[in-house]
Amino acid sequence: MTLDLRYTEEQEQLRDSVRAMLTDHAPWARVLKVAESPEPDDADLWRLLSVETGLVALAVPEHLGGAGATVAETAVVLEELGRAVAPVPYLGTTVAAHLLVHLGESDLLRELAGGEVMALALPFDVGPTGSGLPGVEVSTAPDGSPLLNGTVSSVADGLRARVLLVPAGGALFAVEADAAGLRRSPVVSLDETRPLCDLAMWNVPARLLAAGDRAAAALDAAAVAGAALLASEQLGLAQWCLDTTVAHLKARYQFGRPVGSFQALKHRLADLWVELVQARAVARHAAAAVAQGDPDARLAASLAQAHCGPVAVRAAEECVQMHGGIGFTWEHPAHLYLKRAKSAAVAYGTAAHHRAVLATLADLAPA
């Protein structure tokens, strides 16, 4: 299948509108203020993204309250959210939306399109699997309904979620966040803009969404979509780091000339630019492959994660270092980007994990 990696005119317009909105409503000073507050995210920004603009439900079918777009448009939004390190549960909710679309869960999709936060109850550093979670067991209530018992650690976007999608016992369940027996405990996270929580469940009532191969296929689709979408967020983050660093080096003078004119720095920035161009290609390829149902979507998503994660970290590190002393201060936003890059580098599997996946898909024997 031939994939067009270029941005369409509509996607460029979407990018412009989202960037303008984030410039007004999520400047880095506000992001830092939210990160320092006890709140898990920016509720006002989330309301703007979900209820007022409908950007959260881009890929939800129109008859369910969404825009009927694709993962490719969602990826454009995530590029801009990554560029702003916006403290909102967008990634987790859009991955949940992709899973629910795969299952055809109309009621939950309508709620999501109405602004409800949803999250997949899996540790942030692993991808979904069809075999359930080792720490979650399924039992049966006297009336025959399922009950969940166990723990899940480091769930991203789980603190604000109203519905949690919990894999357990080879099946997938929906759990109301206010259900009796469910406890959510905040945990310390490197990235203050994407808080994590631990889940503990004691006889928590749940609703069965899917079981067996159907559940495994939905979780697999969510894993691929999550890796592809995260790559676009990492791309946006890396692009901000490069743009901001170049602007600083043009304005900062030493020895009567711009710091950016020194060859050693130009070489480092040129190398980073090349890596960013490659990152954009693989991120766009992954988004397009998922959007169009390409049979190589899993390969494209792993390729994107194997490259974009390390590039985002390197871009953030260079941003901190090339800003000199100010780059190491709390008052400069560079540390927010470095923390997000480091945290995202292990999400949905590390780069090493995805390289192993690529080797398996390409039928390469280990050395």
Side-chain angles (χ1 to χ4, degrees):
M1 180 182 295
T2 302
L3 300 175
D4 188 350
L5 307 187
R6 295 170 296 180
Y7 296 98
T8 65
E9 182 179 351
E10 291 78 11
Q11 289 171 353
E12 292 287 6
Q13 293 172 350
L14 175 63
R15 177 200 306 286
D16 292 342
S17 63
V18 174
R19 183 173 298 185
M21 177 181 22
L22 293 174
T23 299
D24 292 338
H25 296 277
W28 74 264
R30 178 176 175 83
V31 172
L32 184 58
K33 183 178 179 180
V34 172
E36 292 174 326
S37 76
E39 298 301 319
D41 52 56
D42 190 334
D44 292 336
L45 180 58
W46 178 253
R47 190 179 305 109
L48 183 62
L49 288 169
S50 59
V51 178
E52 297 184 26
T53 63
L55 292 174
V56 175
L58 276 177
V60 174
E62 290 184 80
H63 70 279
L64 298 177
T70 70
V71 168
E73 285 69 43
T74 304
V76 172
V77 176
L78 271 162
E79 277 188 48
E80 294 307 311
L81 292 175
R83 187 181 180 90
V85 286
V88 287
Y90 190 92
L91 177 63
T93 300
T94 52
V95 171
H98 190 82
L99 184 150
L100 294 172
V101 168
H102 189 91
L103 292 177
E105 278 291 330
S106 300
D107 292 340
L108 288 177
L109 283 170
R110 285 193 181 92
E111 293 180 23
L112 187 148
E116 297 290 357
V117 179
M118 300 187 185
L120 195 54
L122 285 169
F124 193 44
D125 61 345
V126 299
T129 64
S131 58
L133 292 172
V136 180
E137 297 179 352
V138 185
S139 60
T140 305
D143 63 358
S145 60
L147 300 173
L148 302 184
N149 289 273
T151 60
V152 187
S153 62
S154 302
V155 176
D157 300 331
L159 286 172
R160 269 284 306 279
R162 196 193 68 76
V163 176
L164 295 163
L165 308 178
V166 185
L172 182 65
F173 300 87
V175 173
E176 299 289 332
D178 59 358
L182 174 64
R183 186 180 70 193
R184 294 181 286 184
S185 304
V187 298
V188 177
S189 171
L190 173 64
D191 179 12
E192 300 98 333
T193 64
R194 180 176 280 147
L196 307 177
C197 72
D198 290 342
L199 304 178
M201 291 170 271
W202 296 276
N203 291 327
V204 174
R207 178 167 72 88
L208 178 66
L209 298 178
D213 291 343
R214 186 164 176 258
L219 288 166
D220 185 67
V224 173
L229 289 170
L230 179 60
S232 288
E233 180 189 279
Q234 291 164 325
L235 170 63
L237 182 153
Q239 187 67 61
W240 182 93
C241 290
L242 178 61
D243 293 346
T244 302
T245 304
V246 169
H248 174 75
L249 296 183
K250 286 181 177 180
R252 181 80 168 94
Y253 274 68
Q254 284 285 359
F255 308 108
R257 57 189 288 195
V259 174
S261 66
F262 293 105
Q263 193 174 54
L265 296 183
K266 288 197 288 187
H267 285 174
R268 287 165 65 179
L269 289 173
D271 289 343
L272 183 58
W273 181 83
V274 170
E275 292 183 357
L276 249 171
V277 171
Q278 295 168 339
R280 188 173 302 280
V282 294
R284 291 294 297 164
H285 178 239
V290 174
Q292 298 183 29
D294 191 285
D296 287 331
R298 173 185 288 277
L299 187 149
S302 284
L303 179 62
Q305 270 307 299
H307 184 71
C308 292
V311 169
V313 171
R314 179 160 180 257
E317 290 174 342
E318 292 284 48
C319 180
V320 170
Q321 292 178 11
M322 291 194 192
H323 272 79
I326 193 175
F328 289 83
T329 64
W330 186 261
E331 291 74 16
H332 192 277
H335 68 95
L336 295 172
Y337 289 83
L338 180 58
K339 293 171 183 176
R340 171 66 70 88
K342 285 283 192 179
S343 173
V346 301
Y348 297 103
T350 64
H353 165 78
H354 285 286
R355 285 194 292 270
V357 171
L358 288 171
T360 300
L361 292 174
D363 197 24
L364 297 176

